[in-house]
Amino acid sequence: MPWTTPPGSGATVYIWNGYSLAERDRRWNAVRANAAKAGFDCILVPLGNGVDGRYMTQLRCSAMVLPSDGRAPIVIADRSSHNDWVPKPWQTGREWAEPMGEALLDLGMERARIGVVGLKGGMVTHCNSIDGVVNHTALKQVMSRLPDARFEDATDIVGHVRFVKSAEEITFVRESANIASAGLEELIKLAKPEADAGVLYAGVLARMLELRSEYFPLTLTIDKLGAERPRRYSNPPLGRRLEANALITNEINAIRGAQFTQVCQPILLGKVPDLWKPVIELHKEIYAAGLEMIKAGTTFGALKNFVDGAGANVA
């Protein structure tokens, strides 16, 4: 698989960058089309928005100005980073505001309507970051270089392109889901009373890394069944041993081809209480019915109303 070593002496982190040039062109053209339709002269993916930067360039750390009129973008990359998608980016070290401003000026955006990706939380991306993800100090300096330009949020311009997967991406979504499932299988195998929870955590991650997932930490919640405030771990739970009747909830995350998937499966180290059994059966029914609803034409609102209604009927 194609991997790029980031710059720097003794670097050990590798960045996967194996999508084809056709995939690059699909993404860039789709973003251009969205930007033009929304009336933007260009899209700026600034410092701080590493997720969208990687989506558009496959580089570990980059910024990008993409004109909506079909001209080639200017990509600013960290030190000597480059790849097949962006063989000759502008290079920078610690300074990002200056080259981002220069890129906008070079492309004639002095009086343009500029869409900033990641300025606010979007409908389908950066949903949990209501204040955005950009480096606002750097962006403020860029804006001072173009006082007659308009800078507006354009998170959904890229977000809606990311939301619709290509055939190349779907291949890696499936690989990622398979790796996450393998991590769950490893968790089930290792989760026993008296097992060291830190060793369990490491074992699950090791299994997924062996299958070539990128690193992403697990989240485990481990405590006695019925605990009012069960303890949640996003780092290895050092010094903790699993107990009988412990309930383990989890978020097992895998990344292949920059595609993130997650599996969640509660694990109880004991017998299911009789009181829980009808609730579990109801969950199964709602889950199966929900899967049937997830198809083209069904809105999220309809799915939400169905699940809320099922819960209300039980109450």
Side-chain angles (χ1 to χ4, degrees), residues 164-175:
V164 180
K165 304 301 183 187
S166 68
E168 284 190 49
E169 291 174 309
I170 288 171
T171 295
F172 287 104
V173 169
R174 289 178 174 139
E175 288 190 16

Side-chain angles (χ1 to χ4, degrees), residues 20-249:
S20 68
L21 291 176
E23 174 65 15
R24 178 199 68 182
D25 293 343
R26 182 196 71 82
R27 294 181 184 184
W28 289 7
N29 288 335
V31 171
R32 280 193 188 100
N34 281 359
K37 185 177 180 180
F40 289 112
D41 296 296
C42 72
I43 292 300
L44 170 64
V45 183
L47 177 68
N49 188 353
V51 173
D52 289 320
R54 184 175 178 187
Y55 179 79
M56 296 295 286
T57 69
Q58 293 199 96
L59 294 169
R60 179 180 67 91
C61 187
S62 66
M64 181 185 202
V65 180
L66 178 69
S68 60
D69 59 9
R71 285 180 291 161
I74 294 177
V75 175
I76 303 153
D78 188 20
R79 299 186 179 91
S80 60
S81 297
H82 65 276
N83 58 23
D84 289 343
W85 275 25
V86 191
K88 294 182 179 180
W90 289 11
Q91 305 292 343
T92 189
R94 296 179 181 275
E95 177 59 58
W96 287 86
E98 182 70 20
M100 286 193 294
E102 284 298 320
L104 289 165
L105 291 170
D106 274 19
L107 290 167
M109 299 298 167
E110 293 91 339
R111 298 180 179 276
R113 183 170 178 245
I114 299 167
V116 183
V117 184
L119 188 61
K120 299 178 181 178
M123 291 180 64
V124 293
T125 58
H126 306 297
C127 302
N128 294 327
S129 302
I130 59 174
D131 294 320
V133 295
V134 307
N135 184 307
H136 285 271
T137 300
L139 180 61
K140 184 177 179 180
Q141 293 181 46
V142 171
M143 294 172 67
S144 71
R145 296 286 306 278
L146 293 92
D148 296 319
R150 288 183 292 162
F151 291 80
E152 301 176 20
D153 178 62
T155 303
D156 288 338
I157 298 297
V158 174
H160 285 142
V161 176
R162 286 178 53 193
F163 189 66
V164 180
K165 304 301 183 187
S166 68
E168 284 190 49
E169 291 174 309
I170 288 171
T171 295
F172 287 104
V173 169
R174 289 178 174 139
E175 288 190 16
S176 178
N178 288 337
I179 293 173
S181 295
L184 174 61
E185 292 172 3
E186 190 72 13
L187 177 59
I188 293 171
K189 182 177 76 174
L190 297 175
K192 300 176 181 179
E194 298 303 319
D196 187 308
V199 172
L200 175 146
Y201 188 102
V204 174
L205 274 180
R207 177 58 181 151
M208 292 193 293
L209 293 172
E210 288 171 355
L211 295 173
R212 301 304 294 273
S213 171
E214 295 182 36
Y215 172 79
F216 197 96
L218 306 176
T219 299
L220 300 177
T221 300
I222 306 172
D223 223 319
K224 285 278 192 180
L225 183 65
E228 184 175 346
R229 294 184 178 179
R231 296 185 61 181
R232 180 180 173 89
Y233 302 89
S234 55
N235 288 303
L238 301 179
R240 180 78 188 268
R241 290 195 173 272
L242 303 182
E243 304 170 83
N245 293 318
L247 177 64
I248 306 170
T249 58

Side-chain angles (χ1 to χ4, degrees), residues 1-4 14-19 54 58-59 168 172 212 214 256-258:
M1 300 300 295
W3 299 77
T4 296
Y14 290 83
I15 305 303
W16 188 92
N17 60 359
Y19 285 113
R54 184 175 178 187
Q58 293 199 96
L59 294 169
E168 284 190 49
F172 287 104
R212 301 304 294 273
E214 295 182 36
R256 277 289 287 160

